[in-house]
Amino acid sequence: MAEVLFFLTAIATLGGAVGVIALRNPFYSVLALVVHLISLAMLFLLLRAEFVAAAQVIVYAGAVMVLYVFVVSYVGGSEEPIGVGPSRGFRVASVAFGGALFLVLAIAILGSGLKAIDSQGAPYVSGFGSPGAIGKLLLTDFLLPFEVASFLLLVAAVGAVTLARRRGGLETPGELATYSALDFLRPAGTGTMAEGVGGRRRLPAATPESGTEDARA
Amino acid sequence: MNPSFAVVSYYEPWWIQILKAVVIFAIILQLQPILIVGERKLLGRFQGRYGPNRVGPYGLATPLADVIKLATKEQFRPDTSIGWMFALAPIISVVAAIGALSIIPFGDTQDIFGTQVGLYGLDVSIGPLFVFAMGAVAFYGIMLGGFSSGSKYSFLGAMRAAAQLISYEVSQGLALVGVVMTAGTLSLTEIVHAQQGMWYVIPQFLGFLIFLVASFAETNRAPFDLVEADAEIVGGYFTEYGGTRFTSYLFAEYINMCVVSLIMVTVFFGGWLLPFGINPPGWLDPFIVLGKTSVFLVFFIWIRATLPRVRYDQLMSFGWKVLLPLATLNTLVTAIVLVATD
């Protein structure tokens, strides 16, 4: 039973991964990635890592991929691929780099000895992979990487908010315009959405006129 | 008391599992027509009219007539739709909704003819996380349905679903963290056992309120039914659906309502436990759980009849600026209190 399930999910995992890069339509690519991530969660389940499987589905399929689907279905759901194909030299280089990466990974995996394939593999200890065990590991052995990762996510969140504010449209009426030194160092024509629709503009201090515009929009 | 199955990683024989799956599915499925006719009856009363009263005594056979009508309708899809995705999407919705049912505990482990049987599908060590994972999968049912319909209204409904689901799932999850920390376990049966002395609705009242509000958004029920707001976008993601496929979406929505109510009963209202030291025999457990659940189902319908639909930006800013900070605060305070009193 476990073997049948393993091969079914393994085929789905690999199929999803190939689909991501092989499919022309970006929307189908994203869906293939969803299939891949959910099959990967099933593989985790077969390894009795219930918590990791649930986290995989909730975080990746439930949050990250939702944003992907959101964006792609807005801008790229058409049958035509986006943009022109890569040039010939670029393709050769990408194959070379891909091959090099595969070689490195193959050496690393072979170097681990693949002991589990012939023998029984590591024995299952009761409680392994349970939320409690993972929490204990995260707060003892892996405390520093855990905190660094959370700090990284915090920086990303702050960065996202900053970028969204710079593009305008988020300021409430009556809010004072804020200027950053970077605004003056930045070359004209780079970045803001206001510039995209009509020349370089500073963030406008909210005037009654712009307030009514917002209300109409 | 024996240790629960989640703690000892014990699973029952396969034939018991299959039997339990069929029984749980059958019972919950039989609840849906009752729920639908009950909702229409109650809505009618709230609005000063009779509600359905033509088919059967008191109109009780109305859902039966509805199902026959829907099942005998012609299968159709718009020219612009994507066929396989259009057919697949309702299936994903129903599967995810029913999948979440499998971990709801309806009672303690019972001795039935000498066999130890837990009155629940599975007692997994991840508990509520499983429900949230199923919620993540259910999103694709709505999203793909709206996208593949090839219609603007469906697409807008699906987009609203995407934004709404990820906004409210965060608060919903954080609201449960307080309970999980207090109980010290994620297993739902263990959480019920931990409520022997006091139901968690009392120490975790804020968490319960947040979970309740977020549940309305998660199940796309009024006043948060922006996903299918019929005054603005016809029917949202199922605008183009009809017949049995539409029925699937309908069932998914009502089963989700049951699942959320069952989770609230399990986590905040002591599951099969009764207050004041009343200790009923074990076979009454499922009836107690279903009785408590029906209170919440009526509450869902009551709110639908009472509150007007909120505007979309109100929904979003409420989720991110009110519910999420409150849920975080609830978690923090619970953690501090737990450490201080430990």
Side-chain angles (χ1 to χ4, degrees):
Chain A
M1 189 65 188
E3 284 82 1
V4 178
L5 270 180
F6 172 77
F7 280 107
L8 282 179
T9 42
I11 289 168
T13 313
L14 292 177
V18 171
V20 175
I21 50 171
L23 287 169
R24 284 276 156 175
N25 187 328
F27 190 76
Y28 290 160
S29 271
V30 171
L31 287 189
L33 190 52
V34 173
V35 170
H36 170 75
L37 290 170
I38 291 179
S39 320
L40 212 56
M42 289 182 195
L43 284 180
F44 285 137
L45 268 187
L46 283 174
L47 292 171
R48 301 202 191 190
E50 292 167 345
F51 180 78
V52 180
Q56 167 95 5
V57 174
I58 294 171
V59 174
Y60 287 101
V64 176
M65 294 318 293
V66 167
L67 288 181
Y68 279 35
V69 170
F70 198 89
V71 171
V72 169
S73 57
Y74 257 129
V75 299
S78 58
E79 290 295 324
E80 310 90 49
I82 295 174
V84 291
S87 69
R88 192 179 178 79
F90 196 78
R91 283 185 189 191
V92 172
S94 66
V95 167
F97 277 109
L101 187 63
F102 175 74
L103 210 63
V104 170
L105 285 178
I107 290 171
I109 291 172
L110 286 175
S112 72
L114 296 177
K115 292 193 190 83
I117 286 181
D118 284 340
S119 63
Q120 283 295 313
Y124 171 70
V125 191
S126 182
F128 171 80
S130 70
I134 290 177
K136 199 164 277 176
L137 279 180
L138 279 183
L139 291 179
T140 52
D141 291 1
F142 300 101
L143 183 61
L144 185 67
F146 179 62
E147 290 298 328
V148 169
S150 62
F151 188 70
L152 187 71
L153 287 177
L154 181 69
V155 170
V158 171
V161 171
T162 313
L163 280 177
R165 289 193 74 88
R166 207 185 77 184
R167 298 200 163 216
L170 281 183
E171 62 275 355
T172 47
E175 187 181 322
L176 289 175
T178 51
Y179 296 100
S180 155
L182 285 174
D183 278 346
F184 298 97
L185 296 174
R186 191 162 47 79
T190 53
T192 71
M193 203 174 275
E195 286 169 2
V197 290
R200 180 167 191 178
R201 274 198 313 188
R202 296 283 167 212
L203 282 180
T207 56
E209 190 194 351
S210 71
T212 53
E213 248 177 33
D214 284 349
R216 218 165 349 134
Chain B
M1 194 183 70
N2 296 325
S4 74
F5 289 163
V7 172
V8 294
S9 292
Y10 172 75
Y11 295 102
E12 291 146 311
W14 60 270
W15 57 273
I16 294 185
Q17 293 286 4
I18 291 178
L19 213 62
K20 285 199 297 192
V22 171
V23 168
I24 291 174
F25 173 66
I27 289 175
I28 298 295
L29 196 70
Q30 297 320 309
L31 276 184
Q32 306 314 313
I34 303 173
L35 189 55
I36 289 174
V37 79
E39 169 160 36
R40 292 180 60 186
K41 278 290 214 193
L42 278 175
L43 280 182
R45 292 294 172 177
F46 278 121
Q47 294 162 357
R49 52 190 176 85
Y50 285 111
N53 62 356
R54 284 289 173 268
V55 192
Y58 305 106
L60 288 181
T62 312
L64 204 65
D66 273 348
V67 165
I68 292 173
K69 179 195 77 176
L70 286 166
T72 49
K73 274 190 173 178
E74 183 190 358
Q75 292 275 12
F76 62 90
R77 62 184 186 87
D79 255 359
T80 44
S81 64
I82 305 166
W84 63 270
M85 221 191 266
F86 193 76
L88 181 70
I91 299 175
I92 298 178
S93 263
V94 167
V95 166
I98 295 171
L101 273 178
S102 63
I103 64 154
I104 309 286
F106 291 94
D108 213 347
T109 315
Q110 302 296 336
D111 197 345
I112 301 178
F113 303 124
T115 321
Q116 290 288 317
V117 179
L119 297 185
Y120 38 77
L122 270 176
D123 188 13
V124 286
S125 65
I126 48 175
L129 292 181
F130 183 86
V131 177
F132 291 130
M134 281 299 156
V137 176
F139 155 78
Y140 289 98
I142 293 178
M143 179 71 216
L144 293 186
F147 180 81
S148 65
S149 292
S151 133
K152 289 193 179 74
Y153 293 123
S154 303
F155 185 69
L156 284 175
M159 284 295 131
R160 286 181 173 194
Q164 184 172 330
L165 282 182
I166 49 174
S167 307
Y168 279 83
E169 209 179 45
V170 185
S171 315
Q172 207 185 14
L174 267 177
L176 281 189
V177 172
V179 169
V180 171
M181 281 194 297
T182 318
T185 175
L186 274 167
S187 152
L188 287 176
T189 55
E190 291 285 300
I191 289 179
V192 173
H193 281 306
Q195 298 179 66
Q196 291 279 4
M198 187 199 287
W199 293 355
Y200 281 144
V201 65
I202 298 167
Q204 286 290 324
F205 189 68
L206 183 61
F208 165 66
L209 279 187
I210 296 165
F211 189 86
L212 185 69
V213 174
S215 300
F216 277 93
E218 277 287 300
T219 50
N220 301 326
R221 294 283 302 182
F224 297 143
D225 57 345
L226 274 293
V227 171
E228 51 201 66
D230 42 5
E232 304 161 26
I233 49 174
V234 189
Y237 60 94
F238 57 60
T239 302
E240 305 295 344
Y241 279 92
T244 37
R245 287 171 183 163
F246 172 74
T247 320
S248 308
Y249 272 133
L250 199 68
F251 270 130
E253 181 182 329
Y254 280 90
I255 291 176
N256 274 330
M257 214 162 99
C258 286
V259 167
V260 167
S261 304
L262 283 163
I263 291 277
M264 274 193 280
V265 167
T266 307
V267 172
F268 293 105
F269 285 84
W272 60 84
L273 301 175
L274 283 177
F276 312 122
I278 305 169
N279 203 4
W283 58 269
L284 269 178
D285 287 354
F287 295 99
I288 295 169
V289 171
L290 288 179
K292 287 179 182 175
T293 307
S294 58
V295 174
F296 280 102
L297 292 175
V298 171
F299 182 71
F300 266 87
I301 297 164
W302 186 4
I303 290 293
R304 176 175 172 186
T306 308
L307 292 180
R309 186 179 292 136
V310 298
R311 222 173 49 217
Y312 190 64
D313 57 324
Q314 289 171 336
L315 171 90
M316 278 315 192
S317 61
F318 181 70
W320 287 109
K321 294 179 183 168
V322 179
L323 272 194
L324 188 59
L326 272 183
T328 317
L329 193 72
N330 182 47
T331 310
L332 266 178
V333 171
T334 309
I336 292 169
V337 168
L338 277 181
V339 172
T341 57
D342 192 19

